[in-house]
Amino acid sequence: METKFWELKKNPEAAIGEAAELIRRGELVAFPTETVYGLGADGLNGTAVEKIFAAKGRPGDNPLILHIADTEQILPLTTGLSENARALMDTFWPGPLTIVVPRSEIIPDGVTAGLETVAVRMPSHPVAVALIRAAGCPIAAPSANVSGKPSPTNAQDVAEDMTGKIAGILDGGNCGIGVESTVVDTTSPVPTILRPGGITREMLEERLGVVEVDPALNGDPALRPKAPGMKYRHYAPKAPVYLYEGPRAADRLTEAAMRAQKQGMHIGVLCDDRVKARLEGSLRRGHTLEILSWGEGKPDLAEHLYELLRDFDRLAPEMIIGMGVDEKGLGLAVMNRLRKAAGYQILLAEEDRIAVRSGKDFPEFLLVPEE
Ligand code: AMP
Ligand code: MG
């Protein structure tokens, strides 16, 4: 299949009109949102929805999010909204928040993977909003990556995964937030975060009071996540990833990187600007490390995480070592993704020792204390 690529610099209305026409005809179009790029289909057309699963290689038991452009558009999709659901819509839409509500009959089974609930979001990105309005239907859209790879946050990353498989790609530049939407179940008495994302736990609590977080999100393999998609090892780069967390994470990462360099290992280092500057100040020329920094704070990490994981795939180091951040604010979402990318191979860098937080068979050079 030929994949159209619209740059949107000149005449965006015409491009969005063409893309909407393809959606109405049951084809797939990738489009930018404020979180990551989505792979869209007419959400009320079961045949079109099936194409999403085929293009991504997505397991059929992982339901999709329906994207709408106006609040009233949710009414035909659900049999009723709880008070919590209405409060969240009023406060956080349009934006990076998905709510899970009871589904209505008009929704194809493919969208909900057979569940009695449906996930709905109203994005704020102007291209997403214009596309949904022009198509005149809710747009079912997961992230526009091949299943298992990091989500795309620019149109080139979408093209890498989807060229030849879908009808078109709308290029709206880089996504601002960079991690997927927060998914909140509004059908339970206490609203529950099923996937942390761009709207933080603190923001939800300020509006609703008590909010729970699905305990399965910590990576305990004995617990079954309530969002079916959260059980898959998403976001994984090709090389194995090892993480340091805790108060001395930056120091232990710096020392481990120096040791790897002495041994001539080809290693990826994922860190912030401070650690990168420190390493570059002490490394010899022609060193063997691939040091990629996300910038300064958590918003930078959220914005660049997936792009950096994809960059590591191109650089092909033998392994990647990185550092975590605390779980306040956006930290909950980024650490959820980063820990998954690491397959939960995590060391805790305490003040006076390195402990294993989870995982096993760590390379020796990550564990030795500095002589
Ligand atoms: P994606 O669109 O790839 O970002 O993934 C959507 C996320 O929402 C996945 O983790 C799904 O499992 C989750 N999700 C979608 N619909 C539901 C639902 N009805 N109940 C619980 N989780 C859902
Ligand atoms: Mg996804």
Side-chain angles (χ1 to χ4, degrees), residues 56 58 143 145 151 180 234:
K56 281 180 62 86
R58 182 174 174 107
S143 49
N145 52 294
S151 300
E180 297 86 347
H234 271 109

Side-chain angles (χ1 to χ4, degrees), residues 99 126 141 186 219 221 339 346:
I99 59 172
T186 66
R339 286 170 177 162
I346 303 169

Side-chain angles (χ1 to χ4, degrees), residues 56-279:
K56 281 180 62 86
R58 182 174 174 107
D61 69 348
N62 190 4
L64 306 175
I65 295 171
L66 289 181
H67 293 73
I68 60 176
D70 297 283
T71 323
E72 309 77 63
Q73 226 181 334
I74 196 174
L75 298 176
L77 306 177
T78 180
T79 53
L81 297 168
S82 66
E83 228 173 275
N84 285 329
R86 287 184 188 277
L88 291 177
M89 290 162 56
D90 285 348
T91 313
F92 299 109
W93 280 5
L97 179 77
T98 297
I99 59 172
V100 171
V101 298
R103 68 174 282 194
S104 74
E105 288 300 311
I106 66 167
I107 299 171
D109 285 334
V111 169
T112 64
L115 297 175
E116 286 310 307
T117 52
V118 63
V120 185
R121 171 162 108 88
M122 186 163 122
S124 64
H125 195 293
V127 174
V129 174
L131 179 67
I132 299 163
R133 291 213 173 112
C137 58
I139 294 187
S143 49
N145 52 294
V146 166
S147 259
K149 284 180 71 173
S151 300
T153 51
N154 60 65
Q156 286 66 41
D157 288 348
V158 177
E160 186 182 292
D161 283 16
M162 290 297 154
T163 300
K165 298 182 190 167
I166 64 175
I169 301 171
L170 286 162
D171 179 359
N174 285 351
C175 300
I177 296 173
V179 291
E180 297 86 347
S181 62
T182 308
V183 178
V184 178
D185 183 3
T186 66
T187 65
S188 48
V190 179
T192 307
I193 298 177
L194 306 185
R195 175 175 75 181
I199 300 290
T200 66
R201 176 185 194 163
E202 291 84 348
M203 291 158 81
L204 295 169
E205 281 174 342
E206 195 175 309
R207 182 66 186 84
L208 298 179
V210 195
V211 173
E212 276 173 9
V213 179
D214 182 356
L217 298 185
N218 283 330
D220 182 343
L223 300 175
R224 199 187 155 79
K226 294 199 188 77
M230 297 304 281
K231 69 176 178 280
Y232 296 106
R233 186 182 172 238
H234 271 109
Y235 321 116
K238 291 184 187 126
V241 182
Y242 299 94
L243 275 189
Y244 286 106
E245 294 186 25
R248 302 297 298 277
D251 296 328
R252 297 293 95 87
L253 179 65
T254 308
E255 292 156 12
M258 295 300 293
R259 278 196 291 274
Q261 196 273 141
K262 262 188 219 150
Q263 295 170 27
M265 298 166 83
H266 183 217
I267 286 224
V269 181
L270 176 66
C271 58
D272 65 9
D273 276 350
R274 275 184 37 217
V275 169
K276 182 172 185 180
R278 222 200 287 172
L279 276 173

